[in-house]
Amino acid sequence: MFVRRSLLAIGTALLLAIPAAPPAQAQAADPASLVPADIRARGTLRVGSQQTFPPVEFREPGKQDVTGASADLLVEIARRLNLRLEYVQAEYAALIPGIEANRFDVASGGISDTEEREEKLDFVNYMRSGGSILVRAADAERYRTIDDFCGRSVATLLGGRVIMAAVEAASARCVAAGRPPIRAEQLPNAPDARMQLDLNRVDGYLGDFPALVYMSSQFKGRYAIVGGNYMLTPYITSWGFAKGRSGLRDAVRAAAQAMLADGTYHRILTKWGVEGSALPEISVNLPASRRG
């Protein structure tokens, strides 16, 4: 499907230590018993996602079904919770407002757990990842890290605060060294952001490492990842839930943990070539900043 060896580099490139055991969570022999009554009565688990984030959650050209590693995990979780999965399209920047407005029950599509976002949402952590930089193949030798982009321009997703914070810090280093700052443009979705690279409007596209490896494999010879497997910043890809809805959060966490225990979790990640992103435990509210 795509280069598994590159994706296996996530585990070492992120340099994340094995986290401590997650906080105690509600446990039940049957995770479905934790599902709130209103969602159980409705019979559907509504998932907000931009659906443009391969290989995690996306639609293949000409097809309607959402596919990918997260999509497969959620299909199985919904089955174990006796619910049907229903996707609601939402741009990345609209995921948190969508949860707050009750447009959907789960924010997905590559959202990461951060201490800042935990002020608004709770998170079930299911995969480690990291931000990286895609460039045109012809420019690959120019760049090794984000610090090589002084005076250059990059594009990324609107609402991607973890990546933008790292870009802003790098830009400040450029200025402190007497060099021009990095110019950053934020676009509503991944295809729009990547298109800026194709049109030579920016010099790099910043996104999740697994997604960038997947893109590179789909357009052979067009792109390269800066430094081969350079990580701008590590983070924990998660599903987001409304504060005060701990029943649904804990039901999803319990189902996913059971999948990890019986091997289903690893089989799904391996299917999509992201087995190097597996977590040792399905945790709640444990972002990269609080991992050892």
Side-chain angles (χ1 to χ4, degrees), residues 49-286:
S49 169
Q50 61 182 330
Q51 304 163 23
T52 58
F53 183 50
V56 177
E57 214 164 69
F58 66 108
R59 293 178 188 267
E60 294 179 343
K63 296 184 179 180
Q64 292 300 311
D65 292 339
V66 181
T67 191
S70 171
D72 282 359
L73 291 171
L74 286 171
V75 165
E76 178 61 18
I77 287 170
R79 187 190 69 79
R80 295 183 185 213
L81 299 182
N82 300 320
L83 299 171
R84 299 184 307 278
L85 200 63
E86 176 184 304
Y87 273 95
V88 179
Q89 201 284 328
E91 300 295 353
Y92 189 81
L95 290 176
I96 292 177
I99 286 284
E100 293 176 325
N102 196 32
R103 287 189 60 217
F104 35 81
D105 309 305
V106 183
S108 189
I111 191 170
S112 58
D113 181 359
T114 69
E115 295 182 59
E116 179 184 9
R117 287 175 180 160
E118 284 177 13
E119 296 176 4
K120 296 184 176 181
L121 300 187
D122 283 336
F123 293 91
V124 171
N125 316 131
Y126 70 91
M127 195 171 77
R128 77 180 91 208
S129 188
S132 194
I133 311 172
L134 195 72
V135 296
R136 292 177 289 273
D139 298 332
E141 296 304 314
R142 296 184 182 182
Y143 309 107
R144 286 292 177 267
T145 74
I146 186 64
D147 295 291
D148 294 324
F149 283 82
C150 296
R152 302 287 183 175
S153 57
V154 297
T156 189
L157 284 176
L158 183 66
R161 284 305 308 157
V162 177
I163 283 179
M164 279 303 299
V167 173
E168 290 160 3
S171 187
R173 292 194 297 271
C174 293
V175 173
R179 304 175 68 190
I182 300 171
R183 301 184 302 277
E185 183 175 355
Q186 293 183 280
L187 282 298
N189 57 59
D192 286 348
R194 195 195 74 210
M195 184 64 68
Q196 304 308 300
L197 183 63
D198 292 340
L199 295 174
N200 295 316
R201 293 174 179 170
V202 300
D203 301 292
Y205 163 55
L206 289 80
D208 277 12
F209 182 69
L212 301 191
V213 172
Y214 183 88
M215 288 180 192
S216 297
S217 72
Q218 298 300 297
F219 302 95
K220 294 188 183 300
R222 183 184 299 184
Y223 304 119
I225 294 173
V226 166
N229 60 4
Y230 167 70
M231 292 293 169
L232 172 65
T233 181
Y235 43 79
I236 303 299
T237 305
S238 308
W239 298 302
F241 301 82
K243 292 286 188 182
R245 298 287 282 184
S246 59
L248 180 61
R249 178 201 71 190
D250 292 344
V252 169
R253 188 259 171 191
Q257 182 64 29
M259 291 163 58
L260 187 152
D262 67 23
T264 305
Y265 168 80
H266 285 95
R267 284 196 295 273
I268 289 173
L269 295 192
T270 299
K271 169 186 172 181
W272 290 98
V274 293
E275 60 269 36
S277 299
L279 292 175
E281 295 286 341
I282 305 299
S283 51
V284 168
N285 293 341
L286 193 58

